[in-house]
Amino acid sequence: MGAHRNVTRGYADELRLFGTPLARTGLAALVVVFLVLPTVVQNDFWLSVLIYVGITAIGAIGLNLLTGYCGQISLGHAFFIGAGAYAAARVGGEIGLPLPLWLLAAAAIGAALGGLIGPFTLRLRGHYLAIVTLGLVFIGEHLWRNLTDLTGGNSGTPVTAGASIGPVDFNSLNLFGESYSRNQGWFWLVWGLVALVALLAKNLVRTRPGRALQAVRDRDQAAEVIGVRAGQYKIGAFMLSSAIAAMAGALFGSYQQFVSPDEWNLLLSIQYIAIVIVGGLGTIFGAVLGAIFVGALPALIDRYSEAIPGVQTSVGGEGFISVFALNQALFGLLIVLFLVFEPRGLAGIWLRIKAYFKAWPFSY
């Protein structure tokens, strides 16, 4: 009886957020890293890489909710990220709304676009859905280049959205008599939002709607039989994913302070697909792991391209592959390798290590 009670308690602890000692220790370690890292790593390049990785992690969580939890393959993520960036430029820059409001406005615009497109995908699945969402990228490229009043056309547009919450300005942060650089302030802002979005997403997938999403992913017709309205959940997942992607785009535009249509291309959508596959489909922390592992690659390759054999660093220079082509090749290679050798991604590797040590010394 006591053993049964211990097993039941252990299972309940696993279901709760931070219900185990290991989870609480990990949370405490992450909080310490979050608070201390920008004061230790003050190099602007590395801080900017971490900021871009954090923004990418937010977008990847949104895509993982759609693809990993609901089973809808989308290649149109770049469209919604671009929409969020232009929303920040207009709502946060021209109108001058504060950070919380322009972030919510970008999310609302993303959700509205997702709600318009979602119904067209109800009868589609698998490769057919991927092809339809792929069309969004090309529609977006046409819109971003021709809606010059909104996007600035091919010349791009500045994004002057502020980064203030009340008296706290993350562009010029002053706390307890200490002044911090823009990159330090943005690190705290972005990774604080990563933690918030991840927490909300994790709580969502543990609730009844989250279990319904997974039922739709596994077998949508069977889900309908047990009372799950698959159509509503598919549209809802599309809207939520689009809203989170638009938030990531808004942060990207505000941090970079300038965006152009060239940035919302097919490669960006493929990069996000690579992130969720490498990180682990159907896991929230896998999206963050994938963003750290894959999201930093373009910046690191660009930074150290001269030290990579065979990479062409200038037009007409030596080498057989450009930096852009190398990024494309690596994303494709990572997708293939992880699908073949580790379908559960980095999250699966971590879960196996965790299970091994829980069973130690009885594991073989």
Side-chain angles (χ1 to χ4, degrees):
M1 190 71 177
H4 175 73
R5 188 183 301 113
N6 289 335
V7 170
T8 304
R9 186 184 301 117
Y11 179 70
D13 287 342
E14 286 289 342
L15 288 179
R16 290 201 304 267
L17 284 178
F18 316 117
T20 64
L22 178 62
R24 289 191 288 270
T25 302
L27 175 63
L30 288 174
V31 170
V32 171
V33 170
F34 169 75
L35 294 174
V36 173
L37 187 62
T39 64
V40 176
V41 181
Q42 299 185 19
N43 182 279
D44 280 337
F45 169 75
W46 291 109
L47 284 174
S48 68
V49 169
L50 291 171
I51 291 166
Y52 281 121
V53 164
I55 294 171
T56 303
I58 293 174
I61 291 171
L63 182 59
N64 217 344
L65 287 172
L66 179 66
T67 301
Y69 284 95
C70 194
Q72 299 187 82
I73 303 172
S74 173
L75 289 174
H77 218 52
F79 172 79
F80 301 104
I81 293 172
Y86 292 121
R90 299 301 163 229
V91 178
E94 289 186 0
I95 300 177
L97 294 181
L99 169 65
L101 293 182
W102 61 252
L103 262 185
L104 289 174
I109 290 171
L113 290 172
L116 288 174
I117 296 163
F120 295 99
T121 67
L122 289 182
R123 294 184 177 274
L124 302 172
R125 67 184 71 184
H127 302 95
Y128 299 102
L129 178 59
I131 292 170
V132 169
T133 55
L134 175 62
L136 288 176
V137 176
F138 301 106
I139 292 172
E141 285 189 359
H142 176 76
L143 293 175
W144 310 144
R145 295 184 189 281
N146 290 280
L147 297 176
T148 53
D149 292 339
L150 174 67
T151 67
N154 290 325
S155 301
T157 186
V159 183
T160 57
S164 301
I165 301 178
V168 180
D169 184 0
F170 291 94
N171 283 319
S172 180
L173 192 61
N174 291 282
L175 292 174
F176 309 111
E178 294 287 337
S179 297
Y180 299 95
S181 69
R182 181 173 185 267
N183 278 340
Q184 289 174 307
W186 267 86
F187 175 91
W188 281 312
L189 169 63
V190 167
W191 281 96
L193 289 172
V194 171
L196 178 62
V197 171
L199 183 64
L200 293 175
K202 184 65 176 177
N203 273 301
L204 171 67
V205 300
R206 292 167 62 247
T207 61
R208 183 176 180 179
R211 294 192 295 273
L213 286 178
Q214 294 168 71
V216 171
R217 174 197 63 193
D218 295 336
R219 185 74 67 176
D220 54 354
Q221 292 179 345
E224 289 273 10
V225 171
I226 62 174
V228 174
R229 295 183 178 180
Q232 289 186 2
Y233 279 102
K234 286 182 178 180
I235 295 174
F238 215 99
M239 292 178 66
L240 181 60
S241 174
S242 304
I244 297 174
M247 285 180 58
L251 288 169
F252 178 88
S254 180
Y255 174 67
Q256 192 164 271
Q257 298 182 316
F258 183 86
V259 293
S260 68
D262 294 330
E263 295 178 275
W264 326 118
N265 52 29
L266 179 59
L267 178 62
L268 181 61
S269 288
I270 293 174
Q271 179 182 352
Y272 273 97
I273 291 291
I275 286 170
V276 296
I277 290 175
V278 171
L281 287 167
T283 58
I284 301 301
F285 76 96
V288 179
L289 289 177
I292 295 172
F293 187 78
V294 178
L297 278 179
L300 294 176
I301 290 171
D302 186 59
R303 171 87 170 193
Y304 298 106
S305 58
E306 294 182 357
I308 303 174
V311 175
Q312 190 180 61
T313 57
S314 60
V315 178
E318 296 182 357
F320 60 87
I321 188 170
S322 66
V323 172
F324 179 78
L326 179 59
N327 282 326
Q328 288 181 308
L330 283 176
F331 292 150
L333 182 63
L334 286 170
I335 290 172
V336 171
L337 289 177
F338 271 86
L339 283 177
V340 172
F341 296 106
E342 187 50 76
R344 296 179 66 192
L346 296 173
I349 295 174
W350 163 249
L351 290 173
R352 279 206 306 274
I353 294 172
K354 182 180 174 184
Y356 174 85
F357 281 103
K358 283 183 68 175
W360 188 86
F362 303 104
S363 54
Y364 295 95

